[in-house]
Amino acid sequence: MSVHSPSSSIEDELRKRARIDKEDSTKKSTGPNRGGGRARIYLHAVSDAQADLLKNTGYTQPLQEVKKKTGADVQFDSNPSSVPGMKILVIRGVPTQIEAAVRLISQMTNSQGALVEEAQTFWLQWVEAAFPELDSRAYFLPPVYFNRVPMTRQSVVGQDVLVLQAAHKLGSSVSTHAQDRDVRNDAAKERVDGQNLIQAKHVQDNQCSQPKSASFAYPTPPTILDSDIRDDAALQCVLINLQKLSERKREVFVGLSQLQFGQYLGEPCYAAAAAQLPIPANLPPSLPRNWKQGDFDILFIHRQYGLVICEVKAFGNNVKEMNMSQQDIDNNIRKKLRDAVSQLDKAEAMLSHLVSDIAPGLRITKTIAVPNLTAQQVQQAISCDAQLIQELCRCLGTTSDPADITGLCLCRDLLSDPKTLYDVSSHVLKELGHWWQRRMAVAGPDFHMTLWVYKALLARFCGPATTVSVPCTCPPRVI
């Protein structure tokens, strides 16, 4: 898939929304529900009939009542909605105020019973307007890769080049995207602290979009580790190659990267509707409680093949510098693969839960990407570990032959040279195509994945109620 640049009107809207949100984030919130985070703005959809009930008259002022009771500022959007029969309310406040305002508005408009149906209808219309070619091409969300490790522009032999900043302690004056990508690690969670998130909202139509909010809080300057750089490079490599493959094969899917479980239907203004749907907070009691936390490194919603989860492991590109023995290398490879199996199992359980009311039994395919390891390295590491082979076979759904296992993993042999990452040769695309056939297409289309199911899944995972957030420790900048 080629990532299309947004039109000038959308760019203007993004800049306007970012400016509004930046101004709002500096305001102190007041009112009965003070607290709950930084001030933000959200769009909430209501039908024309509901909008009539909320309009001020000589006798009633419903929106003023909402502000008085919740502390949130609510106004009708001055821009007309591109979704027929709908009006947009702009709600300003902290998350707790926004959530209370949505509940109160639902009560005022007598829409509690139909809230879920109306919300999902709006999400679907939103997605169809935001992604007009969703049934004929691939999209990636975020549409471009956000590099979290700082880079500096330097001149080398008269040419401007971007150079990765060495691992060290950053000062507060340095702008960076640095962050340990493995959010399952406790140290990474401490860095994020729940607030260092630049919300990578989806490219969307300016008349029916959720605003592109960005809320920043910068703690003590973090230590940037070599692993930060490796994680960034590994995920970027996989995404770029899969994007090029989707262009060649004209695949129809949406690929989301770094989606946290808790971000699914996590926008506060849709909390009332989301609470009545399968969400991470309502994970079945039969599953471990800690499985509510996690993320999808890469999640594909494919028009034909159902759902595909890819776990990316970055180990392998620094073994020479670390002077590791072959035994240590093999031990580390086995550990990374065991971690990947565990994380894929957790992601599969969560995904099955989230889509259970839309399409129970929908196919979920799992794969592992190790862009710094060759298939031979992986095969050598697992060949003497029968238990790991058994776990991988169960997870990936293949035979007990180690060669079959590596054939289903995305290894370095199948990817472009990291030094010329964007130069994906025809040979690489051919090998990637063979891997795609072995991993994705061999079982044929999933009969559960009708066009309605596909759009319903996109409405929830890619619509305005779900936001993909990228960890950020300092203000992002363009170089």
Side-chain angles (χ1 to χ4, degrees):
M1 180 207 84
S2 58
V3 179
H4 298 319
S5 299
S7 66
S8 59
S9 62
I10 294 179
E11 288 176 335
D12 292 341
E13 177 69 8
L14 298 183
R15 283 192 288 268
K16 181 182 73 173
R17 292 298 188 190
R19 184 177 66 252
I20 291 173
D21 190 64
K22 183 177 180 181
E23 293 169 354
D24 273 25
S25 67
T26 62
K27 297 178 181 178
K28 300 289 186 180
S29 86
T30 59
N33 288 317
R34 181 174 180 172
R38 288 174 173 266
R40 305 167 75 180
I41 61 174
Y42 290 92
L43 303 186
H44 179 65
V46 294
S47 66
D48 287 343
Q50 293 167 344
D52 290 338
L53 296 174
L54 296 172
K55 290 180 179 177
N56 293 336
T57 67
Y59 303 98
T60 63
Q61 293 184 316
L63 298 187
Q64 289 299 317
E65 183 180 348
V66 172
K67 180 176 182 179
K68 182 178 179 180
K69 291 184 175 181
T70 69
D73 180 59
V74 185
Q75 298 177 0
F76 281 102
D77 193 352
S78 58
N79 296 317
S81 172
S82 63
V83 180
M86 305 294 284
K87 294 288 191 298
I88 303 298
L89 289 170
V90 180
I91 307 177
R92 293 177 171 85
V94 298
T96 54
Q97 294 171 331
I98 293 169
E99 192 172 339
V102 171
R103 285 198 299 266
L104 184 54
I105 289 170
S106 298
Q107 294 171 4
M108 288 179 169
T109 56
N110 298 317
S111 60
Q112 289 286 73
L115 183 61
V116 174
E117 182 178 351
E118 290 178 358
Q120 293 188 110
T121 298
F122 175 67
W123 299 341
L124 178 58
Q125 292 171 326
W126 186 96
V127 163
E128 290 175 333
F131 310 115
E133 301 175 84
L134 62 83
D135 58 349
S136 60
R137 55 159 285 195
Y139 289 92
F140 284 80
L141 302 176
V144 294
Y145 183 76
F146 287 83
N147 189 6
R148 289 139 298 181
V149 176
M151 304 178 75
T152 58
R153 188 182 297 276
Q154 299 182 13
S155 179
V156 178
V157 195
Q159 297 291 324
D160 283 344
V161 295
L162 298 178
V163 180
L164 285 168
Q165 197 162 332
H168 68 286
K169 191 91 167 180
L170 287 180
S172 59
S173 63
V174 180
S175 296
T176 176
H177 295 107
Q179 176 68 39
D180 191 334
R181 191 187 62 78
D182 192 353
V183 296
R184 292 168 295 275
N185 182 279
D186 290 339
K189 291 178 181 177
E190 291 176 3
R191 290 186 196 175
V192 174
D193 195 27
Q195 295 200 39
N196 303 330
L197 299 175
I198 172 175
Q199 295 187 344
K201 303 291 285 186
H202 322 322
V203 175
Q204 52 199 290
D205 184 89
N206 64 341
Q207 292 183 339
C208 67
S209 68
Q210 183 80 349
K212 300 285 188 287
S213 57
S215 178
F216 303 108
Y218 311 112
T220 303
T223 299
I224 302 215
L225 307 175
D226 287 332
S227 60
D228 296 315
I229 298 174
R230 291 194 299 272
D231 289 343
D232 259 352
L235 184 57
Q236 185 180 30
C237 175
V238 173
L239 287 171
I240 288 174
N241 279 266
L242 291 176
Q243 176 184 323
K244 295 295 185 181
L245 178 66
S246 69
E247 291 176 354
R248 168 68 69 89
K249 294 180 65 66
R250 299 184 181 276
E251 296 289 340
V252 180
F253 62 77
V254 174
L256 298 94
S257 57
Q258 305 177 85
L259 174 64
Q260 303 289 316
F261 294 167
Q263 292 167 349
Y264 174 75
L265 300 183
E267 292 294 351
C269 59
Y270 298 107
Q276 302 178 53
L277 298 170
I279 55 177
N282 297 331
L283 199 64
S286 59
L287 296 174
R289 292 182 62 184
N290 64 345
W291 281 23
K292 295 180 180 180
Q293 303 296 325
D295 70 343
F296 304 103
D297 279 356
I298 303 175
L299 169 63
F300 291 125
I301 304 173
H302 197 284
R303 172 65 184 88
Q304 290 181 301
Y305 305 135
L307 302 166
V308 182
I309 316 167
C310 179
E311 184 71 23
V312 182
K313 293 299 179 185
F315 176 77
N317 72 333
N318 64 336
V319 293
K320 291 183 179 179
E321 292 85 344
M322 296 181 67
N323 197 27
M324 296 178 68
S325 67
Q326 187 60 50
Q327 182 178 355
D328 287 339
I329 293 173
D330 290 345
N331 287 340
N332 273 277
I333 292 174
R334 287 191 287 268
K335 181 182 183 303
K336 293 295 182 182
L337 292 176
R338 285 194 180 92
D339 290 345
V341 168
S342 175
Q343 290 153 5
L344 285 171
D345 286 345
K346 179 193 294 187
E348 180 184 28
M350 176 59 71
L351 204 53
S352 297
H353 167 63
L354 298 182
V355 305
S356 59
D357 67 319
I358 299 177
L362 186 64
R363 183 191 304 161
I364 299 177
T365 302
K366 296 177 286 186
T367 190
I368 301 171
V370 282
N372 297 320
L373 297 172
T374 64
Q376 182 178 0
Q377 286 177 295
V378 174
Q379 187 169 339
Q380 175 180 320
I382 68 175
S383 60
C384 61
D385 192 327
Q387 183 178 358
L388 177 57
I389 290 175
Q390 184 177 358
E391 291 176 6
L392 286 166
C393 290
R394 175 194 56 78
C395 180
L396 301 178
T398 186
T399 66
S400 58
D401 187 344
D404 291 339
I405 293 173
T406 55
L408 298 181
C409 294
L410 196 51
C411 301
R412 189 174 70 195
D413 318 60
L414 308 177
L415 301 170
S416 58
D417 187 335
K419 296 179 181 178
T420 55
L421 189 57
Y422 288 88
D423 183 17
V424 184
S425 67
S426 58
H427 172 72
V428 169
L429 287 175
K430 181 179 178 180
E431 293 301 314
L432 267 177
H434 293 329
W435 168 81
W436 183 271
Q437 179 64 33
R438 292 192 300 269
R439 176 67 287 184
M440 311 296 182
V442 66
D446 182 0
F447 72 90
H448 292 96
M449 187 57 93
T450 64
L451 181 59
W452 179 88
V453 168
Y454 182 58
K455 290 185 176 181
L457 292 172
L458 297 185
R460 292 195 189 176
F461 282 90
C462 311
T466 300
T467 299
V468 177
S469 297
V470 178
C472 184
T473 56
C474 296
R477 81 278 191 236
V478 177
I479 32 182

